[in-house]
Amino acid sequence: MEMSSEFVVDFPTLGDLGDAWITRHCRVPDGFTRGRPFQMADWQFWCHANRYRIRPDAVFVPPELVGPDKPPVLNQAFFYQQTLVVAPQKTGKGPFSAAQVAFEAAGPSVFAGWAEGGEVYSCADNGCPCGWEDSPEAFVYAKGEPMGMRHPSPLIQITANSAEQADNIYKPLRAMINLGPLKQLLAVREGFIRILGLSDQDDLDRIDVVTSSARSRLGNPISDAEQDEAGLYTKSNKMVDVADTQARGAAGMGGRTHLTTNAWDPSENSYAQMIYEANEPDVFIFYRDPDKELRGDDGRPLDYKKLADRRRIHEYAYEGSWWVNLDSIEALARKLMKRDPEQAERFFGNRLVAGHGKWLEDGAWESKAVPALVIPRRAPVAGGFDGSNNDDHTGIRLELLPTQYQFTPTYGPDERKTLWNPADYGNRIPRSEVMAAWRELAKFYDLVRVYLDPFFWQSEIDELAAEFGETVFIPWATNRPVPMHAALDRLKTDLGNDDSSFSHDGDEVVRTHMRNARIRPTTVDKTTGVKRYVIGKPFGEEHRKIDFAMSSVLAHEAAMDVLASGWKPRTSSRVRVWR
């Protein structure tokens, strides 16, 4: 299909075959185009193509050769083991997911080797009597293109927090079945959908709905799970457990799981948020984030409260969804903003909006993000370090001198970021690894001054100071209200000052910690009346960490103290934009 310049498919995928199969077999479920062939919008096809992206080294094992020594390939043929689509309401996530379910259930969704060129996909060979292979629209494989076949025993679960939520997918799927050729492949039964042509047993080859209150089939090995509105799955409603159980069930059967959601409330630590923030390489994420891509004339992120800015945000978030009337979306958003502005931004603006009491206004941190810079060896830098023992995170941030460009350095042969989550290390911070990182950084960069919060780390800081100098590694306690308030206020002021030289690398994890930070009032200066504060996590939300924000504050404070001291670089520090 014709693609937007935003999307370029230059990798092997079953996406073209799937697109053609869906157009042939699925029907538009409602509206003025009801009953017409279902055709994916460009962004939907992009998600579909990546969902079915094939690894270049995938090797097909023919069904007749499958055995103990030659297991089927199934999910291991795919580049991504999970997908996450974040899009606003009314963009068509439900019908899109319904089409994906139909393809998983009865279409050529399983890798079947590499084409020599000229082969024709045969519906008849895959249990479908529609005659597609004999029609002018028959799908002909190009040389080297991955081929597809039907799953031999699909068991699919449509998942949501409630039955009403599950209808986002289940209802359009039923309509797709009843309106076209899918009725020869899928049959709507009472409470489930039967997948035809593979077995005669109702407990096999089926599509079920799983909710928080209907979990009886949870734990079964499954070939696919479509997890709708995963931004509402939390530990408190037990849907995180449901999603995790499905992921295990899918892995056991060579299957995969797929998430769709509106932008989530960051205060709830939803399953979608967990997947997004984990940023695993085998998870495909589609999220048009207005804060990353859109800027006003002043260079700052757009303000959703302003009509013109809101329109630009809607145009970006809904791009490609031609059926959406933006005037109608504006009317809905305007009404919702009167009673719940944050929800309006999430539902229609596709933004991850922080709650009340936040330290930084939305977009303040993002406004100073710039393209990543390549820092030369022995460049002078200041640094900040906030450490923990076994619960909170530990992080190192550096700031280039004198330009005030702040970044997360990397260390080791695999260039890991200097951001440590104890959950990745058996619930303990790997202290020896942190120390090894510091020693590597000290060799690569010219560390001029580093401020380190000594809580839990006094001995290690003393060790670094003895090794590299007490004027370089300096304890800087963050529990002192007066200097801590001054450091926080300095960074906040520089973020809001267009003339400030401060900029940063836009590190996603640091950005999350900045958004999590909440103001905690401390004292009032009796002379000036200044209300001092520190920052902390949102009350009752221990999962929302702020440690990397603290590292960033300390790094900037160290950098500014160095510049205030009259420091001059020994040699020029050249940097270049990474293209």
Side-chain angles (χ1 to χ4, degrees):
M1 67 180 297
E2 185 177 347
M3 294 290 292
S4 162
S5 59
E6 181 183 357
F7 311 120
V8 177
V9 178
D10 57 358
F11 46 81
T13 176
L14 294 178
D16 291 310
L17 172 61
D19 180 41
W21 188 94
I22 286 171
T23 300
R24 171 78 182 186
H25 295 84
C26 298
R27 296 293 178 261
V28 176
D30 51 29
F32 285 105
T33 58
R34 182 177 183 180
R36 295 183 191 174
F38 183 88
Q39 293 182 305
M40 288 182 274
D42 56 358
W43 70 265
Q44 292 174 328
F45 177 75
W46 174 247
C47 295
H48 174 77
N50 277 278
R51 172 170 172 160
Y52 292 100
R53 180 176 179 178
I54 301 296
R55 296 166 56 94
D57 59 351
V59 177
F60 174 58
V61 178
E64 63 271 16
L65 297 182
V66 169
D69 297 330
K70 291 186 177 181
V73 180
L74 296 175
N75 62 1
Q76 292 306 303
F78 295 103
F79 194 88
Y80 295 111
Q81 297 303 300
Q82 195 172 46
T83 63
L84 168 62
V85 175
V86 186
Q89 287 194 336
K90 310 303 180 185
T91 47
K93 297 191 296 295
F96 168 70
S97 293
Q100 305 306 297
V101 171
F103 184 61
E104 287 280 347
S109 60
V110 175
F111 174 63
W114 302 95
E116 294 292 333
E119 298 95 330
V120 176
Y121 174 76
S122 173
C123 269
D125 291 345
N126 286 273
C128 175
C130 76
W132 186 25
E133 62 273 15
D134 297 322
S135 72
E137 298 82 25
F139 187 86
V140 182
Y141 290 106
K143 183 176 182 178
E145 185 175 8
M147 299 186 292
M149 60 181 288
R150 191 173 178 182
H151 197 292
S153 56
L155 185 58
I156 300 169
Q157 293 179 346
I158 295 173
T159 315
N161 195 33
S162 66
E164 292 77 13
Q165 195 76 58
D167 268 348
N168 286 343
I169 299 175
Y170 200 65
K171 185 177 178 180
L173 178 59
R174 291 198 306 265
M176 286 181 176
I177 294 169
N178 293 327
L179 289 169
L182 281 180
K183 66 178 65 174
Q184 302 178 87
L185 299 167
L186 305 171
V188 179
R189 302 285 195 243
E190 185 67 32
F192 71 99
I193 294 173
R194 182 85 167 81
I195 302 173
L196 304 175
L198 299 173
S199 74
D200 296 327
Q201 301 180 50
D202 274 354
D203 61 339
L204 301 174
D205 310 328
R206 52 189 283 156
I207 301 168
D208 290 301
V209 171
V210 173
T211 67
S212 58
S213 59
R215 306 165 61 179
S216 60
R217 291 190 172 271
L218 198 61
N220 288 348
I222 57 175
S223 59
D224 174 62
E226 301 294 322
Q227 297 166 338
D228 187 54
E229 287 306 336
L232 301 177
Y233 298 6
T234 64
K235 289 185 177 179
S236 61
N237 63 26
K238 302 190 184 306
M239 287 300 293
V240 170
D241 291 339
V242 168
D244 282 340
T245 301
Q246 286 182 322
R248 291 192 297 270
M253 194 177 172
R256 298 182 294 160
T257 60
H258 306 280
L259 294 69
T260 52
T261 186
N262 295 323
W264 52 85
D265 182 343
S267 69
E268 294 180 348
N269 197 31
S270 67
Y271 185 66
Q273 180 178 347
M274 295 176 190
I275 297 300
Y276 178 76
E277 292 179 359
N279 197 29
E280 295 291 345
D282 64 349
V283 178
F284 170 75
I285 297 175
F286 176 78
Y287 173 35
R288 281 174 168 158
D289 184 351
D291 289 338
K292 281 188 177 181
E293 301 297 332
L294 303 181
R295 290 291 185 272
D297 295 337
D298 59 358
R300 299 180 68 81
L302 302 183
D303 185 349
Y304 196 75
K305 300 180 183 66
K306 296 178 180 178
L307 178 60
D309 284 4
R310 190 162 64 245
R311 184 72 177 202
R312 282 188 61 194
I313 290 171
H314 290 166
E315 288 173 347
Y316 175 69
Y318 287 91
E319 183 179 353
S321 297
W322 57 266
W323 52 89
V324 174
N325 185 305
L326 291 183
D327 291 334
S328 178
I329 294 299
E330 165 59 27
L332 291 170
R334 186 175 63 250
K335 292 174 185 176
L336 185 56
M337 285 186 68
K338 293 179 181 179
R339 56 186 174 84
D340 195 338
E342 293 173 353
Q343 189 179 80
E345 288 200 57
R346 291 195 298 270
F347 279 11
F348 304 112
N350 211 32
R351 300 175 97 175
L352 306 177
V353 183
H356 298 296
K358 55 198 173 190
W359 172 45
L360 299 179
E361 292 298 318
D362 290 329
W365 179 252
E366 292 83 353
S367 69
K368 290 291 188 176
V370 299
L373 303 181
V374 178
I375 313 300
R377 190 177 184 85
R378 301 309 298 167
V381 294
F385 173 80
D386 187 45
S388 70
N389 190 29
N390 60 3
D391 182 29
D392 289 330
H393 297 185
T394 290
I396 298 171
R397 291 277 283 176
L398 299 182
E399 191 163 320
L400 188 64
L401 298 170
T403 60
Q404 301 174 46
Y405 168 73
Q406 192 176 108
F407 61 99
T408 301
T410 59
Y411 71 101
D414 53 352
E415 296 188 349
R416 294 186 183 185
K417 290 184 177 183
T418 54
L419 305 174
W420 293 272
N421 180 347
D424 298 331
Y425 299 90
N427 295 321
R428 300 284 294 183
I429 292 296
R431 288 173 177 265
S432 60
E433 196 167 314
V434 174
M435 293 296 283
W438 268 125
R439 291 187 171 96
E440 182 177 327
L441 296 178
K443 291 180 180 179
F444 188 90
Y445 301 100
D446 177 13
L447 297 180
V448 179
R449 182 178 301 186
V450 179
Y451 286 162
L452 310 95
D453 186 2
F455 193 56
F456 285 128
W457 288 81
Q458 185 64 66
S459 296
E460 286 84 356
I461 294 172
D462 290 344
E463 187 177 334
L464 291 170
E467 190 171 343
F468 298 103
E470 293 182 353
T471 61
V472 176
F473 284 88
I474 302 172
W476 203 101
T478 59
N479 61 354
R480 298 171 297 155
V482 175
M484 190 70 240
H485 169 264
L488 291 165
D489 213 41
R490 187 208 297 261
L491 179 55
K492 186 174 184 176
T493 299
D494 288 346
L495 289 173
N497 180 5
D498 293 338
D499 295 327
S500 169
S501 298
F502 179 80
S503 64
H504 63 82
D505 59 353
D507 188 294
E508 276 294 317
V509 186
V510 176
R511 176 196 186 200
T512 297
H513 284 220
M514 288 289 181
R515 288 185 165 208
N516 288 342
R518 296 293 183 268
I519 289 174
R520 297 284 177 263
T522 55
T523 60
V524 176
D525 188 290
K526 294 180 180 180
T527 303
T528 63
V530 171
K531 298 178 181 179
R532 298 193 182 100
Y533 64 87
V534 295
I535 57 173
K537 307 168 195 170
F539 285 120
E541 299 173 21
E542 285 298 310
H543 62 277
R544 298 182 65 188
K545 306 301 182 183
I546 64 167
D547 308 281
F548 303 152
M550 295 295 286
S551 298
S552 298
V553 171
L554 293 181
H556 189 55
E557 188 71 2
M560 299 310 290
D561 285 352
V562 167
L563 297 179
S565 71
W567 169 89
K568 299 294 182 184
R570 287 191 289 269
T571 58
S572 63
S573 299
R574 293 176 297 165
V575 298
R576 52 193 173 92
V577 177
W578 178 262
R579 297 291 185 188

